[in-house]
Coordinates of all heavy atoms in Angstrom, one line a residue:
Y61 N 2.9 -14.2 -11.2 CA 4.0 -14.8 -10.6 C 4.6 -13.9 -9.6 O 4.7 -12.7 -9.9 CB 5.1 -15.2 -11.7 CG 4.8 -16.4 -12.5 CD1 4.0 -16.3 -13.6 CD2 5.3 -17.7 -12.1 CE1 3.7 -17.4 -14.4 CE2 5.0 -18.8 -12.9 CZ 4.2 -18.7 -14.0 OH 3.9 -19.8 -14.7
C62 N 5.1 -14.4 -8.5 CA 5.7 -13.5 -7.5 C 6.7 -14.3 -6.7 O 6.5 -15.5 -6.3 CB 4.6 -12.9 -6.5 SG 5.3 -11.6 -5.5
N64 N 7.8 -13.3 -3.8 CA 7.6 -13.0 -2.4 C 6.5 -13.9 -1.7 O 5.7 -14.5 -2.4 CB 7.3 -11.5 -2.2 CG 8.5 -10.6 -2.5 OD1 9.6 -11.1 -2.4 ND2 8.2 -9.4 -3.0
C66 N 4.4 -12.6 1.0 CA 3.6 -11.7 1.9 C 2.4 -12.5 2.5 O 1.7 -13.2 1.7 CB 3.0 -10.5 1.2 SG 4.3 -9.6 0.3
Y67 N 2.3 -12.5 3.8 CA 1.3 -13.4 4.4 C -0.1 -13.2 4.1 O -1.0 -14.0 4.2 CB 1.4 -13.3 6.0 CG 2.8 -13.8 6.5 CD1 3.4 -13.1 7.5 CD2 3.4 -14.9 6.0 CE1 4.6 -13.4 8.0 CE2 4.7 -15.3 6.5 CZ 5.3 -14.5 7.5 OH 6.5 -14.9 8.0
Y68 N -0.4 -12.0 3.6 CA -1.8 -11.6 3.3 C -2.2 -11.8 1.8 O -3.4 -11.8 1.5 CB -2.0 -10.1 3.6 CG -0.9 -9.2 3.1 CD1 -0.9 -8.7 1.8 CD2 0.2 -8.8 3.9 CE1 0.1 -7.9 1.3 CE2 1.2 -8.0 3.4 CZ 1.2 -7.6 2.1 OH 2.2 -6.8 1.6
C69 N -1.2 -12.1 1.0 CA -1.5 -11.9 -0.5 C -1.7 -13.3 -1.2 O -1.0 -14.2 -1.0 CB -0.4 -11.2 -1.1 SG -0.6 -10.9 -2.9
G70 N -2.8 -13.3 -2.0 CA -3.2 -14.6 -2.7 C -2.2 -15.0 -3.7 O -2.3 -16.2 -4.1
I71 N -1.4 -14.1 -4.3 CA -0.5 -14.6 -5.3 C 0.9 -14.8 -4.8 O 1.9 -14.9 -5.5 CB -0.4 -13.6 -6.5 CG1 0.1 -12.2 -6.2 CG2 -1.8 -13.5 -7.2 CD1 0.4 -11.3 -7.4
Q106 N 0.7 -3.5 -13.4 CA 0.9 -4.1 -12.0 C 1.1 -5.6 -12.1 O 0.6 -6.3 -13.0 CB -0.4 -3.8 -11.2 CG -0.1 -4.2 -9.7 CD -1.3 -3.9 -8.8 OE1 -2.2 -4.7 -8.7 NE2 -1.2 -2.7 -8.1
G107 N 1.9 -6.0 -11.2 CA 2.2 -7.5 -11.1 C 2.9 -7.9 -9.9 O 3.3 -7.1 -9.1
G108 N 3.0 -9.2 -9.7 CA 3.8 -9.7 -8.6 C 5.3 -9.4 -9.0 O 5.6 -8.9 -10.0
E109 N 6.2 -9.7 -8.0 CA 7.6 -9.5 -8.3 C 8.1 -10.7 -9.1 O 8.4 -11.8 -8.5 CB 8.4 -9.3 -7.0 CG 8.0 -8.0 -6.4 CD 9.0 -7.5 -5.3 OE1 10.2 -8.0 -5.3 OE2 8.7 -6.6 -4.6
D110 N 8.1 -10.6 -10.4 CA 8.3 -11.7 -11.3 C 9.6 -11.5 -12.1 O 9.7 -10.6 -12.9 CB 7.1 -11.7 -12.3 CG 7.2 -12.9 -13.3 OD1 8.2 -13.6 -13.3 OD2 6.3 -13.0 -14.1
S137 N 3.7 -0.7 -11.1 CA 3.4 -1.2 -9.7 C 3.9 -2.6 -9.7 O 3.2 -3.6 -9.7 CB 1.9 -1.1 -9.4 OG 1.7 -1.6 -8.1
I138 N 5.3 -2.7 -9.6 CA 5.9 -4.0 -9.7 C 6.9 -4.3 -8.6 O 7.8 -5.0 -8.7 CB 6.6 -4.2 -11.1 CG1 7.5 -2.9 -11.4 CG2 5.6 -4.4 -12.2 CD1 8.2 -3.0 -12.7
G139 N 6.6 -3.6 -7.5 CA 7.4 -3.9 -6.2 C 8.7 -3.3 -6.1 O 9.1 -2.3 -6.8
E140 N 9.6 -4.0 -5.3 CA 10.9 -3.5 -5.0 C 11.9 -3.9 -6.0 O 12.0 -5.1 -6.3 CB 11.3 -4.0 -3.6 CG 10.3 -3.5 -2.5 CD 10.6 -4.2 -1.1 OE1 11.7 -4.6 -0.8 OE2 9.6 -4.4 -0.4
Y157 N 4.9 5.6 -10.2 CA 5.2 4.3 -9.5 C 4.3 4.1 -8.3 O 4.4 5.0 -7.4 CB 6.7 4.2 -9.2 CG 7.1 2.7 -9.2 CD1 7.9 2.2 -10.2 CD2 6.8 1.9 -8.1 CE1 8.3 0.8 -10.2 CE2 7.2 0.6 -8.0 CZ 8.0 0.0 -9.1 OH 8.4 -1.3 -9.1
L158 N 3.6 3.0 -8.2 CA 2.8 2.8 -7.0 C 3.5 1.7 -6.2 O 3.7 0.6 -6.7 CB 1.5 2.2 -7.3 CG 0.5 3.1 -8.2 CD1 -0.8 2.3 -8.4 CD2 0.2 4.4 -7.4
L159 N 3.9 2.0 -5.0 CA 4.5 1.0 -4.1 C 4.0 1.3 -2.7 O 4.4 2.2 -2.0 CB 6.0 1.2 -4.1 CG 6.8 0.1 -3.3 CD1 6.8 -1.2 -4.0 CD2 8.2 0.6 -3.0
R160 N 2.9 0.5 -2.3 CA 2.3 0.8 -1.0 C 3.4 0.5 0.1 O 4.1 -0.5 -0.1 CB 1.1 -0.1 -0.8 CG -0.1 0.3 -1.7 CD -1.3 -0.5 -1.3 NE -2.5 -0.1 -1.9 CZ -3.6 -0.7 -1.7 NH1 -3.7 -1.7 -0.8 NH2 -4.7 -0.3 -2.3
H161 N 3.5 1.3 1.0 CA 4.4 1.0 2.1 C 3.9 -0.1 3.0 O 4.6 -0.7 3.7 CB 4.8 2.3 2.9 CG 3.6 2.9 3.6 ND1 2.6 3.7 3.0 CD2 3.3 2.9 4.9 CE1 1.8 4.1 3.9 NE2 2.1 3.6 5.0
E162 N 2.6 -0.4 2.9 CA 1.9 -1.5 3.6 C 1.6 -1.2 5.1 O 0.5 -1.4 5.6 CB 2.5 -2.8 3.5 CG 2.9 -3.2 2.0 CD 1.7 -3.4 1.0 OE1 0.6 -3.2 1.4 OE2 2.0 -3.6 -0.2
M177 N 12.0 -10.1 4.0 CA 11.5 -8.8 3.5 C 11.7 -7.7 4.5 O 11.6 -8.0 5.7 CB 10.0 -8.9 3.1 CG 9.8 -9.8 1.9 SD 8.1 -9.8 1.4 CE 7.9 -8.2 0.7
R182 N 11.8 -1.3 1.9 CA 10.5 -0.7 1.2 C 10.5 0.8 1.3 O 10.3 1.4 0.3 CB 9.3 -1.3 2.0 CG 8.0 -1.1 1.3 CD 7.5 -2.4 0.7 NE 6.3 -2.2 0.0 CZ 6.0 -3.0 -1.1 NH1 6.9 -3.9 -1.5 NH2 4.9 -2.9 -1.8
G199 N 0.9 3.7 0.3 CA -0.5 3.3 0.8 C -0.4 2.0 1.7 O 0.7 1.5 1.9
F200 N -1.6 1.7 2.1 CA -1.6 0.6 3.1 C -3.0 -0.1 3.1 O -4.0 0.5 2.5 CB -1.3 1.1 4.5 CG -2.2 2.2 5.0 CD1 -3.4 1.9 5.7 CD2 -2.0 3.5 4.7 CE1 -4.2 2.9 6.2 CE2 -2.8 4.6 5.1 CZ -3.9 4.2 5.9
M201 N -3.1 -1.2 3.7 CA -4.4 -1.9 3.9 C -5.0 -1.5 5.2 O -4.3 -1.3 6.2 CB -4.2 -3.4 3.9 CG -3.8 -3.9 2.5 SD -3.4 -5.7 2.6 CE -1.8 -5.6 3.5
V202 N -6.3 -1.3 5.2 CA -7.0 -0.9 6.4 C -7.5 -2.2 7.1 O -8.2 -3.0 6.4 CB -8.2 0.1 6.1 CG1 -8.9 0.4 7.4 CG2 -7.7 1.3 5.4
G228 N -2.8 4.9 -2.1 CA -3.7 3.8 -2.3 C -4.1 3.1 -1.0 O -3.2 2.5 -0.4
G230 N -7.2 0.5 0.9 CA -8.4 -0.3 0.8 C -8.4 -1.2 1.9 O -7.4 -1.4 2.6
P231 N -9.6 -1.8 2.2 CA -9.7 -2.7 3.3 C -8.9 -4.0 3.0 O -8.8 -4.5 1.9 CB -11.2 -3.1 3.4 CG -11.7 -2.8 2.0 CD -10.9 -1.7 1.5
Y232 N -8.3 -4.6 4.1 CA -7.7 -5.9 4.0 C -8.8 -6.9 3.8 O -9.8 -6.8 4.4 CB -6.9 -6.2 5.3 CG -6.7 -7.7 5.4 CD1 -5.7 -8.4 4.6 CD2 -7.5 -8.5 6.2 CE1 -5.6 -9.8 4.7 CE2 -7.4 -9.9 6.3 CZ -6.4 -10.5 5.5 OH -6.3 -11.9 5.6
L233 N -8.6 -7.8 2.8 CA -9.6 -8.8 2.5 C -8.9 -10.2 2.5 O -7.9 -10.3 1.9 CB -10.3 -8.6 1.2 CG -11.0 -7.2 1.0 CD1 -11.5 -7.0 -0.4 CD2 -12.2 -7.1 2.0
S234 N -9.5 -11.1 3.2 CA -8.7 -12.3 3.4 C -8.7 -13.2 2.1 O -9.7 -13.1 1.3 CB -9.1 -13.1 4.6 OG -10.3 -13.9 4.3
H235 N -7.7 -14.0 2.0 CA -7.6 -14.9 0.8 C -7.5 -16.3 1.4 O -6.7 -16.6 2.3 CB -6.4 -14.6 -0.1 CG -6.4 -15.4 -1.3 ND1 -6.2 -16.8 -1.3 CD2 -6.6 -15.1 -2.6 CE1 -6.2 -17.3 -2.5 NE2 -6.5 -16.3 -3.3
T238 N -3.9 -18.3 2.1 CA -2.8 -17.6 2.7 C -2.7 -17.9 4.2 O -3.7 -18.4 4.8 CB -2.9 -16.1 2.6 OG1 -4.1 -15.7 3.3 CG2 -3.1 -15.6 1.1
N245 N -11.9 -9.5 7.6 CA -11.7 -8.5 6.7 C -11.7 -7.1 7.4 O -12.3 -6.9 8.4 CB -12.8 -8.4 5.6 CG -12.7 -9.6 4.7 OD1 -11.7 -10.3 4.6 ND2 -13.8 -9.9 4.0
A272 N -10.7 -3.1 -3.9 CA -10.9 -3.8 -2.6 C -12.1 -3.2 -1.9 O -12.9 -3.9 -1.3 CB -9.7 -3.7 -1.7
Y305 N -5.6 -13.2 -11.1 CA -4.9 -12.1 -10.3 C -5.7 -11.9 -9.0 O -6.4 -10.9 -8.8 CB -4.8 -10.8 -11.1 CG -3.8 -9.9 -10.6 CD1 -2.4 -10.1 -10.8 CD2 -4.2 -8.8 -9.7 CE1 -1.5 -9.2 -10.3 CE2 -3.2 -8.0 -9.2 CZ -1.9 -8.2 -9.5 OH -0.9 -7.3 -8.9
S306 N -5.6 -12.9 -8.2 CA -6.5 -13.0 -7.0 C -5.7 -12.7 -5.8 O -5.1 -13.6 -5.2 CB -7.1 -14.4 -7.0 OG -7.7 -14.6 -5.8
L307 N -5.6 -11.4 -5.4 CA -4.9 -11.0 -4.2 C -5.7 -11.4 -2.9 O -5.2 -11.6 -1.9 CB -4.7 -9.5 -4.2 CG -4.0 -8.9 -5.4 CD1 -3.9 -7.4 -5.3 CD2 -2.7 -9.5 -5.7
Y308 N -7.1 -11.3 -3.1 CA -8.0 -11.6 -2.0 C -9.2 -12.3 -2.6 O -9.4 -12.3 -3.9 CB -8.4 -10.3 -1.3 CG -8.7 -9.2 -2.2 CD1 -10.0 -9.1 -2.8 CD2 -7.8 -8.2 -2.5 CE1 -10.2 -8.1 -3.7 CE2 -8.1 -7.1 -3.3 CZ -9.3 -7.1 -3.9 OH -9.6 -6.1 -4.8
D309 N -10.1 -12.9 -1.8 CA -11.2 -13.7 -2.3 C -12.3 -12.7 -2.8 O -12.4 -11.6 -2.4 CB -11.8 -14.6 -1.2 CG -10.9 -15.7 -0.8 OD1 -10.1 -16.1 -1.7 OD2 -10.9 -16.1 0.4
Ligands
SAH1 N1 3.9 -6.6 -6.2 C1 3.5 -5.2 -6.2 C2 2.0 -5.1 -6.3 C3 1.3 -5.7 -5.2 S1 -0.4 -5.9 -5.3 C4 4.0 -4.5 -5.0 O1 4.7 -5.1 -4.2 O2 3.8 -3.3 -4.8 C5 -1.0 -4.3 -4.8 C6 -1.5 -4.1 -3.4 O3 -2.5 -5.0 -3.1 C7 -0.5 -4.5 -2.3 O4 0.5 -3.4 -2.2 C8 -1.4 -4.7 -1.1 O5 -1.5 -3.5 -0.3 C9 -2.7 -5.0 -1.7 N2 -3.2 -6.4 -1.3 C10 -2.5 -7.5 -1.4 N3 -3.2 -8.5 -0.8 C11 -4.3 -8.0 -0.3 C12 -5.4 -8.5 0.5 N4 -5.5 -9.7 0.9 N5 -6.4 -7.6 0.8 C13 -6.3 -6.3 0.4 N6 -5.3 -5.8 -0.3 C14 -4.3 -6.6 -0.6

Side-chain angles (χ1 to χ4, degrees):
Y61 281 86
C62 190
N64 292 331
C66 308
Y67 298 140
Y68 45 84
C69 183
I71 63 168
Q106 188 178 84
E109 292 198 15
D110 181 356
S137 178
I138 48 178
E140 297 171 33
Y157 206 105
L158 300 179
L159 185 76
R160 291 189 176 181
H161 61 285
E162 311 298 359
M177 293 184 72
R182 193 105 184 146
F200 59 92
M201 293 173 286
V202 179
Y232 159 77
L233 301 172
S234 83
H235 186 292
T238 64
N245 288 345
Y305 197 80
S306 168
L307 309 178
Y308 44 78
D309 293 333

